[in-house]
Structure formats: C-alpha cells, structure tokens
Amino acid sequence: MLIYDHDLSSLEELASAWNVPGYRATQIWEGLYQHLYASWEDFTALPAALRSRLAAEFEISPLVPVARLDSSDGQTHKTAFRLADELQIEVVAMRYTRRVTLCISSQAGCAMGCVFCATGQMGFKRHLTSGEIVAQVMYFARELKLEGLKPTNIVVMGMGEPFHNYTNTMAAIDRLNNAKGFSFGARRFTISTVGLPAMIRRFADEKRQVNLAISLHAADDATRSSMLPINKKYPIEEILDACRYYTSQTGRRLTFEWALIDNVNDSPEQARAVAVRLRGLLCHVNAIPLNPTTGYAGKATTRQRALLFKSELERAGIPCSVRLRRGIDIAAGCGQLAVDV
Ligand code: SAH
Ligand code: SF4
C-alpha cells in the first residue's frame, strides 16, 4: 500500500495499531498534504523510530517520472510515470500565466475502446488505486511549489474511464479535498465520463460539488455507437435520462463534450439534432476539433465548420464553446495519451 492510499481516519487506525499517539497521524497527514514532504526524512516532527518504521513500510512517491515532453509554446507538459508494477500512466499540466490545470489519469489504459482515443486503442491494463491518483497531483503540487504556484484546476480526463473506477476516483478526490490537508476545492475538479448511467445517478445522489462532463460526441445512436462501442450497451437516451436526474438532484450545469470529426459528427444537422435532444437540460457543449491518433483515420473538422456547428447549437438555445487544441505537438491533447509498455 502507498501512504497516499490512506485517508486521515485510516492513518489514525494505523497509529493506534502501532501504539503511537493519535496526533502523530495528524502530523503525517499535514506533512504529506500541507508541507508536501517528498521524503520520510523531512518529517522531522516525528520520532526517528516512527520515521524509520514508516519508511520501511511506505514509499511516499510511487510514481517514477520516465519521460517528459514540453509543447513548443512552453505551456503544456506531458509526463509519463512508471508505476510499481511497471505499467505507465500519463499526466498533463497546462499553464495559463498563473493558472495551472492538471489532467490526471484514473486507470492504466481503458476498457471502453472509443475508436478515436489513443488510450482506448491501447486497451485496459488496470484500475489505479486512490493513492496512485492522489500521487499524480502531489507530484505536480511539489514541483509547482518551487515556483510559488499551486494547481488551480484538476480534470480527470487523462487515461481511463473514472466512472469505471468510481470508488478509487472519488476516494482520491475526497482525500485531496480534505480541509485539514491539501484542501483542494471540490468545485475546481471536473470529472469526464464516457457516460455510464448508473454511475451518473450515483454521482448525482452523492450531491458533490465536483463538475461533471459527459462525452457525447454524436446526436444519434448509430453514429455514437460507431465511435463509442459502449453506446450499444448504454444508448444516448439512457444517458440523457441519467443526466436529467443529475441536474434535478444537484441543480448543477453539465458539460457535454464533442470531438468534432470531419464528415462524421460535425454537420449542422448533427448540431440541430442534438440541440433537440438537449433542450431543457441545464448544460453547455464543449466542442473540440479531433486530435490525431495513430489508430484512427478520421480527421479534425475545419475551424470554419467548428464555428458553424457552434452557431447552429446556439441558434437552437444550447450554449457552446469551441476549445483551443493544446499540446497536439507532444500528443498531450485529449485522447492522445498512450504509452507503449
Ligand atoms: N474516459 C473519460 C475521460 C478521458 S477522455 C471520457 O471518455 O470522457 C477525455 C475526453 O477526451 C473525452 O471527452 C474523450 O471523448 C475525448 N477524446 C478522446 N479521444 C479524443 C481525440 N482523439 N480528440 C479529441 N478528444 C478526444
Ligand atoms: Fe476510455 Fe475516455 Fe478514451 Fe473512451 S475516450 S477510450 S472512455 S479514455
């Protein structure tokens, strides 16, 4: 187990099992999440015997950076990390002057097999533990601290389907959100899901402040199934039912993601058709021209078609933004994360 797999209460249990006072658990917690210590030697408030026992049982940084790529504009950085079992994951840091968004992974690979996604093309390896998810954030928090910066937003949009690894993803978010520790605001997290209706409902019932984005990408089941195979199991209407439940339970606005692919889902007809389906739902659409991947022949839409798509949606009353593509030159854009293992 990693030290980051523990929350404060399980550290307290550990302290009691080891016969050390409970406040030691708080000191460990604060060392990890407030001081961002990277080594057990930094925990100078702890007795030496406890420090060496901790060092013998837990590693602090389970992630070994093995490659780092910086985009030509210097604003997007992709880091590949090796996990203890040799699998690799990738994390992307995007900088906008003093704002830093981290795009973190929830699984090694992904089981959903979306045809246009590099992670889908590599298949499923395994779920990440909550500690492995937390560790991605702490790695960058430490790095940014050297520049007097902090991550400002965290998007769970890297490798993997977070709602396929629901418990560990939520445990990681809760740990990072804990006010006595890293205290990262719930509203500054965004989870992106391929659209698993039962999990959307569960998420709605938990009434979290975390933002939710749904990868919709198509207005009809035939088109969506050809892009996202999971659509055969959970068709659009089932997802939208769950989305309506979500907005009614939480009052929160949803984001629908749409990777615009030339001649697949970028027509004004698709825009009009989806606008009809989304009418009355508290939402907006985030459209992004497709990022290229080796395993998929589809091409990005043109800027002109993207703007036409946006104006068709808006004319029908659905707010839409066309996002800039970032990090394409280092394959750090949405859906481009994959590592050869
Ligand atoms: N599994 C989750 C989160 C990771 S993917 C999900 O699918 O939502 C993050 C986003 O990138 C999703 O909206 C996904 O559909 C999109 N995406 C995948 N491949 C892409 C590509 N090649 N170009 C643009 N967006 C892509
Ligand atoms: Fe998995 Fe998301 Fe990629 Fe689909 S788009 S294969 S769900 S990571």
Side-chain angles (χ1 to χ4, degrees), residues 5 37 74 97 110 165 196 214 229 242 260 314 332:
D5 279 313
Y37 292 155
T97 43
C110 182
N165 187 18
L196 306 177
I214 312 274
L260 286 161
E314 288 182 338

Side-chain angles (χ1 to χ4, degrees), residues 80-201:
F81 294 98
R82 193 173 58 229
L83 304 171
D85 59 1
E86 302 291 312
L87 285 173
Q88 289 188 21
I89 53 164
E90 294 176 349
V91 183
V92 180
M94 288 161 281
R95 307 177 69 143
Y96 319 77
T97 43
R98 295 191 67 78
R99 277 182 49 219
V100 185
T101 296
L102 299 179
C103 176
I104 62 170
S105 295
S106 57
Q107 297 177 319
C110 182
M112 302 296 140
C114 305
V115 296
F116 52 87
C117 170
T119 311
Q121 290 156 15
M122 71 184 268
F124 179 67
K125 310 289 182 196
R126 70 168 170 84
H127 295 308
L128 299 186
T129 70
S130 60
E132 288 169 327
I133 299 171
V134 167
Q136 297 170 50
V137 175
M138 301 318 293
Y139 178 91
F140 286 95
R142 280 196 287 270
E143 203 178 270
L144 290 165
K145 193 179 177 187
L146 303 174
E147 297 174 56
L149 295 175
K150 287 179 179 164
T152 45
N153 295 84
I154 296 175
V155 299
V156 191
M157 291 192 190
M159 283 186 172
E161 168 48 44
F163 279 4
H164 182 211
N165 187 18
Y166 191 91
T167 316
N168 293 348
T169 301
M170 294 308 158
I173 289 176
D174 289 344
R175 210 159 296 145
L176 292 165
N177 176 234
N178 187 301
K180 290 189 200 149
F182 195 56
S183 195
F184 196 88
R187 288 162 193 261
R188 294 190 286 133
F189 285 97
T190 299
I191 295 184
S192 173
T193 175
V194 73
L196 306 177
M199 294 297 127
I200 296 171
R201 285 171 191 274

